Amino acid sequence: MKKQRIARDRGGNETLPGFRVLQNECVWMRAGVVNFKICDREYDCFQCDFDRGLRKALDAQRPATGKTTEKSWAAEMRSRYPGVEKPCRYLLTGQIDPPGKCDRDYDCDGCPIHMALEYHLVSRSVEAERYARDLHLEGMKHGASAGQSEPVSASPRPLNSECIWMKAGIINFKLCSDEYDCYHCAFDQSMRQVMGEAPGLGKSRSRQWHTFLNEHYMTQTVPCIHRLSGDMEAPAACEKEQQCYSCAYHQKWMAAKEDRASNTPPAIHEYHYTAGFKLVRDYYYHFGHTWVHIEDDGFVRVGMDDFASRIFGEARALQLPPKGVRLTQGKTGWAFLRNGHKAAIQSPISGKVVSLNTHALEDPRICHEDPYAGGWVMRVDPSSLKLDLQALYYGEECSQWMETENQRLYELLGPEYEQLASTGAQPVDDLFGSIPDLDWKTLTQTLLRTKNI
């Protein structure tokens, strides 16, 4: 066999037939450090100003110490991704969305993406520590009442007084004076306004989903949850955008509720019926007829309640947000379709969508047949669970609210139906499909409190 001739370029590198050799390719281009540079000195690198300048720049980044040391993560990233196009470290770990290009040569100090993500981690850890502290204090209270000399739970690590903005490394020095009540902290609110939204923080999918919903649906005026449950002393409309923790009336109501709860035994986990509609005792309910169930891993599972399922009947399709979208309590979260009609559903909780019910997507009828179990819609990583739960119904207040909603339904259907409330009559399994003249738009606006645009 005839021996194949091996060609060599001017740098001495071997090439194979069929590949074009780029003449006079700079050694820095060949190494992948620069995207394009042609050698004009016959590879006399010792007399090349470009070579000396680039070496000086690299030495400034990684000064020689005279001994071999382990590379830092930044140096390792620079060697792994030479050239200009460097991926952000958080893109590689899946914490942000594409394109995620690093334009700081892995100098993360001062990077808005790095600071925002670090702030988020510190904020979550502070919330976890605060929760552990509350459990500890609760254990000590019960231990003292039982005559125990030791607390029930082990003492957690005490919270430091460092502000979470200082913990995240965004500011040099700031001590917390509000026991980490960031929700009411003027300094925290000002810092959030100054920082703004850092680019690339995985919110593009949320913006796309919310843009789609805003073009098709909108939320009606937010009513007060206490007024809906029959408390006629409460205001008719919510003036706090469902931020119940800042409402004076809600704070007064919560204080009275805590007094009642101290003498109330734990609820039994089972179904019960109110006005003919099924409710689950340990679920939370939103006035837009969705439910929330807190799971052991800290995530929450959400879906439509039995009331909405029986009024609107079987859905033909669901419009669910993609995973990663951030939902806001009281804003439109998803929608369902039936025979050319659309209905938007308010999200009962704020947080990031972590998983969807693929079975319900393939066969939406399951949401009608089994709304509280197999018909769940999505799982969410809550962002402010403790605050969001204050805007939901739980326990006996669910029954009071459902009675009020049932009366609203009868009033909507007309005078001939209003008398049914006292007879114990129950609506059929598909109310909309059973009454030909029933207006879909009126149903969604009155009961779901949303409307199409």
PDB file of all heavy atoms in Angstrom, residues 134-148:
ATOM      1  N   ASP A 134     -38.766  29.518  66.055  1.00  0.00           N
ATOM      2  CA  ASP A 134     -40.158  29.502  66.496  1.00  0.00           C
ATOM      3  C   ASP A 134     -40.546  28.134  67.045  1.00  0.00           C
ATOM      4  O   ASP A 134     -41.259  28.028  68.055  1.00  0.00           O
ATOM      5  CB  ASP A 134     -41.083  29.880  65.335  1.00  0.00           C
ATOM      6  CG  ASP A 134     -40.897  31.335  64.898  1.00  0.00           C
ATOM      7  OD1 ASP A 134     -40.330  32.116  65.693  1.00  0.00           O
ATOM      8  OD2 ASP A 134     -41.296  31.670  63.771  1.00  0.00           O
ATOM      9  N   LEU A 135     -40.059  27.065  66.386  1.00  0.00           N
ATOM     10  CA  LEU A 135     -40.334  25.720  66.880  1.00  0.00           C
ATOM     11  C   LEU A 135     -39.709  25.507  68.249  1.00  0.00           C
ATOM     12  O   LEU A 135     -40.293  24.870  69.135  1.00  0.00           O
ATOM     13  CB  LEU A 135     -39.810  24.674  65.898  1.00  0.00           C
ATOM     14  CG  LEU A 135     -40.572  24.522  64.575  1.00  0.00           C
ATOM     15  CD1 LEU A 135     -39.908  23.452  63.721  1.00  0.00           C
ATOM     16  CD2 LEU A 135     -42.028  24.168  64.822  1.00  0.00           C
ATOM     17  N   HIS A 136     -38.502  26.037  68.409  1.00  0.00           N
ATOM     18  CA  HIS A 136     -37.811  25.891  69.690  1.00  0.00           C
ATOM     19  C   HIS A 136     -38.581  26.599  70.812  1.00  0.00           C
ATOM     20  O   HIS A 136     -38.791  26.042  71.895  1.00  0.00           O
ATOM     21  CB  HIS A 136     -36.399  26.464  69.570  1.00  0.00           C
ATOM     22  CG  HIS A 136     -35.673  26.583  70.885  1.00  0.00           C
ATOM     23  ND1 HIS A 136     -35.367  25.491  71.653  1.00  0.00           N
ATOM     24  CD2 HIS A 136     -35.210  27.681  71.548  1.00  0.00           C
ATOM     25  CE1 HIS A 136     -34.735  25.896  72.756  1.00  0.00           C
ATOM     26  NE2 HIS A 136     -34.637  27.223  72.709  1.00  0.00           N
ATOM     27  N   LEU A 137     -39.028  27.827  70.533  1.00  0.00           N
ATOM     28  CA  LEU A 137     -39.779  28.569  71.546  1.00  0.00           C
ATOM     29  C   LEU A 137     -41.102  27.885  71.863  1.00  0.00           C
ATOM     30  O   LEU A 137     -41.546  27.847  73.013  1.00  0.00           O
ATOM     31  CB  LEU A 137     -40.020  30.002  71.057  1.00  0.00           C
ATOM     32  CG  LEU A 137     -38.756  30.867  70.877  1.00  0.00           C
ATOM     33  CD1 LEU A 137     -39.132  32.233  70.305  1.00  0.00           C
ATOM     34  CD2 LEU A 137     -38.006  31.021  72.192  1.00  0.00           C
ATOM     35  N   GLU A 138     -41.752  27.340  70.812  1.00  0.00           N
ATOM     36  CA  GLU A 138     -43.000  26.621  71.028  1.00  0.00           C
ATOM     37  C   GLU A 138     -42.775  25.379  71.873  1.00  0.00           C
ATOM     38  O   GLU A 138     -43.569  25.046  72.765  1.00  0.00           O
ATOM     39  CB  GLU A 138     -43.613  26.239  69.680  1.00  0.00           C
ATOM     40  CG  GLU A 138     -44.999  25.615  69.759  1.00  0.00           C
ATOM     41  CD  GLU A 138     -46.047  26.637  70.180  1.00  0.00           C
ATOM     42  OE1 GLU A 138     -45.772  27.854  70.095  1.00  0.00           O
ATOM     43  OE2 GLU A 138     -47.135  26.202  70.599  1.00  0.00           O
ATOM     44  N   GLY A 139     -41.639  24.677  71.614  1.00  0.00           N
ATOM     45  CA  GLY A 139     -41.312  23.494  72.410  1.00  0.00           C
ATOM     46  C   GLY A 139     -41.040  23.838  73.860  1.00  0.00           C
ATOM     47  O   GLY A 139     -41.435  23.109  74.782  1.00  0.00           O
ATOM     48  N   MET A 140     -40.359  24.954  74.093  1.00  0.00           N
ATOM     49  CA  MET A 140     -40.090  25.373  75.470  1.00  0.00           C
ATOM     50  C   MET A 140     -41.392  25.710  76.197  1.00  0.00           C
ATOM     51  O   MET A 140     -41.561  25.409  77.377  1.00  0.00           O
ATOM     52  CB  MET A 140     -39.159  26.588  75.467  1.00  0.00           C
ATOM     53  CG  MET A 140     -37.754  26.298  74.975  1.00  0.00           C
ATOM     54  SD  MET A 140     -36.665  27.740  75.097  1.00  0.00           S
ATOM     55  CE  MET A 140     -36.652  27.988  76.871  1.00  0.00           C
ATOM     56  N   LYS A 141     -42.342  26.348  75.445  1.00  0.00           N
ATOM     57  CA  LYS A 141     -43.615  26.711  76.062  1.00  0.00           C
ATOM     58  C   LYS A 141     -44.384  25.470  76.479  1.00  0.00           C
ATOM     59  O   LYS A 141     -44.898  25.380  77.596  1.00  0.00           O
ATOM     60  CB  LYS A 141     -44.435  27.547  75.096  1.00  0.00           C
ATOM     61  CG  LYS A 141     -45.759  28.007  75.667  1.00  0.00           C
ATOM     62  CD  LYS A 141     -46.498  28.894  74.689  1.00  0.00           C
ATOM     63  CE  LYS A 141     -46.963  28.085  73.506  1.00  0.00           C
ATOM     64  NZ  LYS A 141     -47.787  28.901  72.575  1.00  0.00           N
ATOM     65  N   HIS A 142     -44.455  24.475  75.581  1.00  0.00           N
ATOM     66  CA  HIS A 142     -45.170  23.246  75.923  1.00  0.00           C
ATOM     67  C   HIS A 142     -44.440  22.479  77.020  1.00  0.00           C
ATOM     68  O   HIS A 142     -45.059  21.848  77.863  1.00  0.00           O
ATOM     69  CB  HIS A 142     -45.342  22.377  74.685  1.00  0.00           C
ATOM     70  CG  HIS A 142     -46.318  22.943  73.701  1.00  0.00           C
ATOM     71  ND1 HIS A 142     -47.638  23.146  74.011  1.00  0.00           N
ATOM     72  CD2 HIS A 142     -46.166  23.360  72.421  1.00  0.00           C
ATOM     73  CE1 HIS A 142     -48.268  23.652  72.968  1.00  0.00           C
ATOM     74  NE2 HIS A 142     -47.392  23.800  71.988  1.00  0.00           N
ATOM     75  N   GLY A 143     -43.101  22.508  76.966  1.00  0.00           N
ATOM     76  CA  GLY A 143     -42.335  21.816  78.005  1.00  0.00           C
ATOM     77  C   GLY A 143     -42.573  22.406  79.370  1.00  0.00           C
ATOM     78  O   GLY A 143     -42.700  21.703  80.371  1.00  0.00           O
ATOM     79  N   ALA A 144     -42.667  23.733  79.440  1.00  0.00           N
ATOM     80  CA  ALA A 144     -42.899  24.385  80.720  1.00  0.00           C
ATOM     81  C   ALA A 144     -44.290  24.089  81.244  1.00  0.00           C
ATOM     82  O   ALA A 144     -44.503  23.886  82.439  1.00  0.00           O
ATOM     83  CB  ALA A 144     -42.700  25.894  80.568  1.00  0.00           C
ATOM     84  N   SER A 145     -45.269  24.047  80.314  1.00  0.00           N
ATOM     85  CA  SER A 145     -46.639  23.778  80.751  1.00  0.00           C
ATOM     86  C   SER A 145     -46.806  22.356  81.252  1.00  0.00           C
ATOM     87  O   SER A 145     -47.672  22.067  82.065  1.00  0.00           O
ATOM     88  CB  SER A 145     -47.614  24.038  79.605  1.00  0.00           C
ATOM     89  OG  SER A 145     -47.339  23.160  78.523  1.00  0.00           O
ATOM     90  N   ALA A 146     -45.965  21.454  80.754  1.00  0.00           N
ATOM     91  CA  ALA A 146     -46.051  20.050  81.180  1.00  0.00           C
ATOM     92  C   ALA A 146     -45.175  19.765  82.384  1.00  0.00           C
ATOM     93  O   ALA A 146     -45.052  18.627  82.809  1.00  0.00           O
ATOM     94  CB  ALA A 146     -45.674  19.126  80.020  1.00  0.00           C
ATOM     95  N   GLY A 147     -44.498  20.795  82.915  1.00  0.00           N
ATOM     96  CA  GLY A 147     -43.640  20.604  84.078  1.00  0.00           C
ATOM     97  C   GLY A 147     -42.297  20.006  83.746  1.00  0.00           C
ATOM     98  O   GLY A 147     -41.614  19.476  84.632  1.00  0.00           O
ATOM     99  N   GLN A 148     -41.875  20.029  82.489  1.00  0.00           N
ATOM    100  CA  GLN A 148     -40.584  19.482  82.117  1.00  0.00           C
ATOM    101  C   GLN A 148     -39.500  20.494  82.411  1.00  0.00           C
ATOM    102  O   GLN A 148     -39.676  21.696  82.249  1.00  0.00           O
ATOM    103  CB  GLN A 148     -40.566  19.119  80.631  1.00  0.00           C
ATOM    104  CG  GLN A 148     -41.611  18.082  80.262  1.00  0.00           C
ATOM    105  CD  GLN A 148     -41.637  17.829  78.778  1.00  0.00           C
ATOM    106  OE1 GLN A 148     -40.910  18.452  78.032  1.00  0.00           O
ATOM    107  NE2 GLN A 148     -42.479  16.899  78.350  1.00  0.00           N
TER     108      GLN A 148
END
